[in-house]
Each structure stands twice: as structure tokens, then as C-alpha cells.
Amino acid sequence: MEEKLSVNSYEVLKRRYLLKDDSQNVVETPDELFRRVAHHVAKAESNFKIREGCGRGIEDGFYNAMSSLEFMPNSPTLMNAGTSIGQLSACFVLPVKDSIDDIFKALRDMAKIHQSGGGTGFSFSNLRPKDDLVMATKGAASGPVSFMSIFDKATGVIVQGGRRRGANMAVLRCDHPDIVEFIEAKTREGEFSNFNLSVGITDKFMQALLKDKEFDLINPRTGKVSRKISARAIFNLIAGAAWQAGDPGLIFLDEVNRENPTPAIGRIEATNPCGELPLLPYESCNLGSINLARMVDGNAVNWDKLKYHIKLGVRFLDDVIEINKFPLPEIKEITFANRKIGLGVMGFADMLVKLGVAYNSKKAVNFAGRLMGFIHRESIRASAELAGERGVFPNYKKSVYAKNGPKLRNATVNTIAPTGTISIIAGCSSGIEPIFAVSFVRNVLSGTKLFEVNPAFEEMARGRGVYNKTLLNKIASRGSLKGMKEIPKSIKDAFVTAFDVSAEQHLLIQSAFQRHTDNSVSKTINLPSDATAED
């Protein structure tokens, strides 16, 4: 049965997801969208032996999970399933090699992926540094940052089917000779607005930083040391740029590769745009998120219901790989070989409210670990069951599981994504974030403004007789319930917003989820507006 959608959910669906005719008129209802996606993804079941009569039952299971807003796949699946585009994955990493042909092949590949609704990550670490020798012309190279600007401008031109702008992640290793230019790339206003930036940090760099020593910058073309630089100076530059422009972030390359499930296939050098998916060159991954707000009965977690949705979500995402129309043959080859999926969650903050647990409490951290531990165990179990039906992923023998691990269908199973627009559709808090604000105005594509009120707050405030429009406007202008005498203390304690949570607590929650997540966790760490570069 289709759940009643909020005005904002319908507005987002209408603008971005529901099918339109040539005159841009909407020709699909939300219910038809969920049926279109369920029907298309369930077609994958015919590739495998399934019990007699289960085919339609699986399609109905997919449909019911989406229409009840209990599970939602990533945006490209909602947009493209059952259409001529047919590209259903959210995240891609493309290699950028050190030649003009390879650089512009990566640019073309990016354009194709963006056009179909996906986001891309790149490591530019293999490109020779600025002013290095170009053998063919005996001229000087322009360096990775200048090439990044071409990717940035191309992204700005391609709007994904008129629905959303493409997004990118750029990674440059900390030992690349152009690292200072990369760190400062976004401190110039308006530069690289279609990129998130991450410095690729190594163990060697961290050891030099802790001992306050210099470390080597290495020319990737020659493999030779070009100069030495203070690790502390680089780290201070990173902190200063992040304070000024919000970028760069850090990706700990050696740690990521210690957790790489298929090290024999290659090293991971980059992630998708929001950092939750470290991927090998040409790998893609499709995501789906369970709405935790709907996994609570009364004031307790319904573990059986959650388990059902984990099993269904793993099957759905494996089917997506099977039915997907890949933008490039290289992507299809490695995606089929590793079959990575990313089942995650949204509505965590709403779940805490329903359970009477404050987000900024030790109890919330302990619960986060218990919850994600359960999700990971059940995801592994579901993938192992699928392997029994369909076989292990083809690179299994080259994976870390080959010796004593479980026989799995998927090289990875869990990811915590930001769930931006799909959490609006589902009417819940995004990812594992605290409630952004109890009441606020949200800006979406094409300048539309949506007034939002947290549904759990609305229900509680109405029950306590304190709900009115004047109060909502006051809350929207403040963003927090702190210091509002009109609001009972019990409501204030329950509705902790992002800016009421310390940076340390944000990190503890992220860490509790990451401990049980085999991909990565996308999480915003809010700092007060008066935070310094030193902070």
C-alpha cells in the first residue's frame, strides 16, 4: 500500500524523479514510480533459478518496501529503472593516467556517467607536476590542478537530465609535488564548485607529522624525490584551507587499502563524491537505505522487521547489478567481478527520538554500535545466502575472504550514504545525521524553497498543546530549541539538532557506525561558527 507522501516529498519526486513527457508534463504517480522500479529490478530474478511462483512475490516485496517508505534505492535507480537510460548506479571511480589521450578519455567517461545520473571520483596523483618536462614537445606540463579545472567546467555544463548537477571527488596524494596548489585550490572564490577535494594521506606522512619532520615530495613520472617539505607546514595549510573553504578533507590511503577486500585486483586511490565509497579504478556501486524511523514499534526496535528489510535490500541491490545498463564496458567488467553493494540507513536520528535516546549521549553511541553490528551481520548472512543461490562474486578467490571467510555474493555489503533527496522522499532525517533543524526552509533544485517541520516534533508538540505557526517561524529562524521557554524540557532533550552536538560526539557516532561498515560512512561534522583553524 502506498504511504501518504508529504507535500515536500511529492514536490521533490515531481521535480526530479517522476517521468515526464516531451512537454515536461508529469506522466507518472509516485505509486507508479515505485512499481516501475520494482518491476524492472525484479526482472533480474529470471537470470537465476528461483522457486516456482516467487518472481511476482519478489517484485511485490520490492514495491511494498519502497511504497511504504521503509527502503529507498539511490537516485539513479529511481530515475532510470525501466527507462531507455537504464543506468542505476550512484557511484563511480575513474582512473586518470598521465597522457593527453588518457586524461580526455577520463573526461569523456565522466560526462557519460554524469549524463546518466552518477557521481565520479578521481585520483589525479599519477599526473606529472606543473612545469615538469613534456617529452613530446620538450615543453612544460600544466599539472593536475589545471586539468582538474577542465573536469570542473565540463561538470558545470552537464545537468543530469535536467534533474541535478553532477558531483566529483578529486584526490591528490600528500607526497605529490603540486600538493600545496591542490590544498589551496578552493580558497579562490568560485573555483572547483563541482568538486570535493581530499588529500591522500599516507602512514609515512602521519609519522613525519607526529615527529615534526620533513617528508619527501615525489615526482610520479620519474619516481624520484623532487624536494622535501615540513609535514607540519602541509597539515597547517590543510587546516587553514578547510577552515576558509570547507575543503580539502583527508583520505587515509594506507588504512583504506588495509581494508580493501580485493587487494590482488589493485589499490584503491579514490572515493565517490561524498567519500562513503572507496572504489578501485572503473568500479561502480549501487546504494540503498533502510528507513530506521519505520523500524520502531512503540518505543522499541522491531529487529525482525529490520532483518527482513536487510535481506530484501541486499537482494534488491544484487539484482540492480544484474539488470544495470553500464555506461562503459570497463565499468561493467569490474562491477560484475566484485559485485560491491552498499546497503545503508537513514532516519537514525528519528529512531533515537522514538526510542527516547538523546543523540548527544553515551547511550546513543553504544546503541549505534549495536544497531550497525546487527545490520552488518545480517547483511553478510543475506549475501552468503545469495551466494548459495547464485554463486560467489567472480573475484572471490582473489579476495580476503578466500582463505577462511564466508562465501559471499558481494565483495562489500554496507555503506552509510548522505541520503539527501531520498530521505526527503521517505520523510525522515538524512543518513546518520542528527536532525538538521526542527523547522527550516530547504532550498532545492531550480531555487524552489520548501518549508520543513520535523514530523516527530510536530506530533509531539501537538500532543503537548504547544504547536502553532508563530512558534514554527521562531524555531526556523533559530535552528535550535535551545533557550526557548515555550518548549517543555522533555521535548528539548529529545530534539537535539546538528548544532547542539559537539564535534567529538559527531565523531563518536560516526566511529560506532564505521566499526561495522565494510565500505565507508558519510557524515557531516558540524563546528560552531566561531571555530578557528586551530580547532
Side-chain angles (χ1 to χ4, degrees):
M1 187 192 122
E2 185 186 355
E3 190 73 20
K4 189 173 185 295
L5 295 168
S6 71
V7 173
N8 289 354
S9 297
Y10 183 70
E11 188 64 31
V12 167
L13 282 168
K14 191 173 74 175
R15 286 186 165 271
R16 293 194 181 185
Y17 297 91
L18 299 178
L19 296 181
K20 297 183 172 82
D21 63 18
D22 293 345
S23 304
Q24 291 296 297
N25 299 309
V26 172
V27 293
E28 182 178 55
T29 66
D31 194 54
E32 287 167 342
L33 178 151
F34 298 135
R35 181 55 77 180
R36 163 171 60 83
V37 175
H39 178 71
H40 184 70
V41 174
K43 280 182 183 176
E45 296 286 331
S46 64
N47 292 0
F48 310 103
K49 279 184 181 175
I50 55 171
R51 291 188 309 279
E52 194 68 36
C54 283
R56 181 60 197 233
I58 288 166
E59 179 185 325
D60 286 345
F62 292 164
Y63 164 77
N64 291 334
M66 288 183 285
S67 62
S68 63
L69 310 179
E70 291 171 345
F71 167 82
M72 210 58 67
N74 54 220
S75 288
T77 300
L78 291 172
M79 290 172 178
N80 300 332
T83 72
S84 58
I85 298 171
Q87 195 294 101
L88 312 180
S89 300
C91 311
F92 300 81
V93 161
L94 294 173
V96 186
K97 294 176 186 170
D98 190 33
S99 76
I100 283 292
D101 285 350
D102 285 315
I103 291 166
F104 281 89
K105 180 186 183 307
L107 183 70
R108 186 200 67 188
D109 293 347
M110 178 200 79
K112 291 183 85 163
I113 289 167
H114 285 185
Q115 190 180 34
S116 70
T120 42
F122 308 89
S123 170
F124 289 92
S125 303
N126 295 315
L127 300 191
R128 68 193 70 190
K130 195 174 186 177
D131 298 328
D132 193 43
L133 179 68
V134 177
M135 299 300 291
T137 62
K138 306 302 180 203
S142 58
V145 177
S146 67
F147 281 114
M148 278 164 49
S149 66
I150 301 169
F151 285 71
D152 183 59
K153 285 181 173 61
T155 301
V157 172
I158 304 162
V159 175
Q160 300 178 335
R163 290 158 166 175
R164 59 180 189 167
R165 202 168 290 289
N168 302 299
M169 171 68 81
V171 175
L172 195 73
R173 284 177 62 99
C174 58
D175 53 12
H176 192 284
D178 289 0
I179 192 61
V180 172
E181 187 185 5
F182 179 82
I183 290 165
E184 296 179 338
K186 283 179 86 166
T187 58
R188 300 183 293 277
E189 201 168 331
E191 293 286 305
F192 299 103
S193 56
N194 300 304
F195 266 98
N196 293 324
L197 307 183
S198 283
V199 175
I201 297 291
T202 61
D203 290 349
K204 203 178 266 188
F205 174 87
M206 291 307 291
Q207 286 154 10
L209 176 63
L210 291 169
K211 292 173 183 171
D212 202 6
K213 289 190 170 180
E214 291 189 324
F215 78 111
D216 297 337
L217 297 183
I218 297 163
N219 184 327
R221 179 179 67 83
T222 63
K224 292 179 180 173
V225 175
S226 66
R227 67 181 196 279
K228 291 182 180 290
I229 195 164
S230 157
R232 176 70 56 192
I234 288 292
F235 197 74
N236 289 343
L237 276 177
I238 292 168
W243 177 83
Q244 186 182 337
D247 260 324
L250 307 179
I251 171 173
F252 294 91
L253 293 173
D254 293 324
E255 177 62 15
V256 163
N257 280 287
R258 279 190 282 273
E259 301 295 327
N260 179 0
T262 56
I265 307 303
R267 273 184 68 79
I268 293 170
E269 296 183 334
T271 76
N272 74 316
C274 294
E276 76 270 23
L277 267 167
L279 295 168
L280 292 165
Y282 288 117
E283 256 189 327
S284 71
C285 192
N286 42 287
L287 311 176
S289 298
I290 295 168
N291 182 356
L292 294 175
R294 291 178 180 267
M295 301 297 126
V296 179
D297 285 342
N299 59 356
V301 177
N302 185 333
W303 296 102
D304 288 338
K305 186 178 182 182
L306 179 55
K307 183 177 176 178
Y308 167 81
H309 281 86
I310 293 165
K311 189 173 177 178
L312 179 123
V314 168
R315 189 177 199 99
F316 181 102
L317 295 174
D318 192 66
D319 281 352
V320 167
I321 295 171
E322 205 64 26
I323 207 77
N324 208 351
K325 205 184 270 186
F326 292 94
L328 302 165
E330 301 97 321
I331 291 171
K332 181 175 183 177
E333 185 182 348
I334 195 164
T335 302
F336 264 93
N338 290 338
R339 302 193 73 90
K340 285 184 179 175
I341 59 169
L343 180 66
V345 298
M346 54 187 169
F348 174 64
D350 299 329
M351 177 181 252
L352 291 182
V353 168
K354 291 184 176 188
L355 298 175
V357 177
Y359 190 98
N360 56 352
S361 66
K362 190 176 179 182
K363 196 174 177 184
V365 176
N366 292 337
F367 174 71
R370 182 183 166 214
L371 173 73
M372 198 62 211
F374 176 85
I375 291 168
H376 186 62
R377 282 192 306 277
E378 292 301 328
S379 299
I380 290 288
R381 191 170 288 153
S383 184
E385 276 183 32
L386 275 185
E389 283 179 38
R390 304 175 172 185
V392 294
F393 63 93
N395 278 337
Y396 181 84
K397 285 184 178 172
K398 297 175 185 174
S399 78
V400 295
Y401 303 113
K403 276 190 179 172
N404 338 311
K407 288 186 161 52
L408 297 178
R409 178 69 175 160
N410 315 97
T412 64
V413 290
N414 295 134
T415 300
I416 307 293
T419 71
T421 47
I422 66 166
S423 62
I424 302 175
I425 296 166
C428 65
S429 56
S430 59
I432 59 165
E433 303 296 351
I435 293 160
F436 172 70
V438 173
S439 169
F440 64 101
V441 176
R442 186 193 292 272
N443 295 308
V444 293
L445 194 74
S446 311
T448 303
K449 293 185 184 300
L450 303 176
F451 188 78
E452 294 219 356
V453 183
N454 182 277
F457 171 79
E458 184 175 345
E459 188 183 329
M460 206 180 278
R462 283 187 192 278
R464 300 291 289 275
V466 294
Y467 185 89
N468 59 66
K469 280 196 172 174
T470 309
L471 179 70
L472 289 183
N473 287 330
K474 188 175 177 182
I475 295 168
S477 66
R478 296 163 67 109
S480 167
L481 301 181
K482 257 186 180 175
M484 292 189 67
K485 290 172 185 170
E486 310 95 309
I487 308 286
K489 184 178 183 301
S490 59
I491 296 182
K492 280 188 213 169
D493 289 347
F495 290 93
V496 177
T497 63
F499 291 97
D500 299 327
V501 178
S502 69
E504 290 79 7
Q505 180 71 5
H506 280 292
L507 285 166
L508 286 170
I509 293 282
Q510 179 165 3
S511 175
F513 275 94
Q514 183 63 75
R515 207 167 290 125
H516 305 284
T517 303
D518 55 8
N519 283 306
S520 192
V521 175
S522 177
K523 174 88 181 74
T524 302
I525 311 296
N526 299 93
L527 289 162
S529 56
D530 59 356
T532 63
E534 286 72 24
D535 293 331

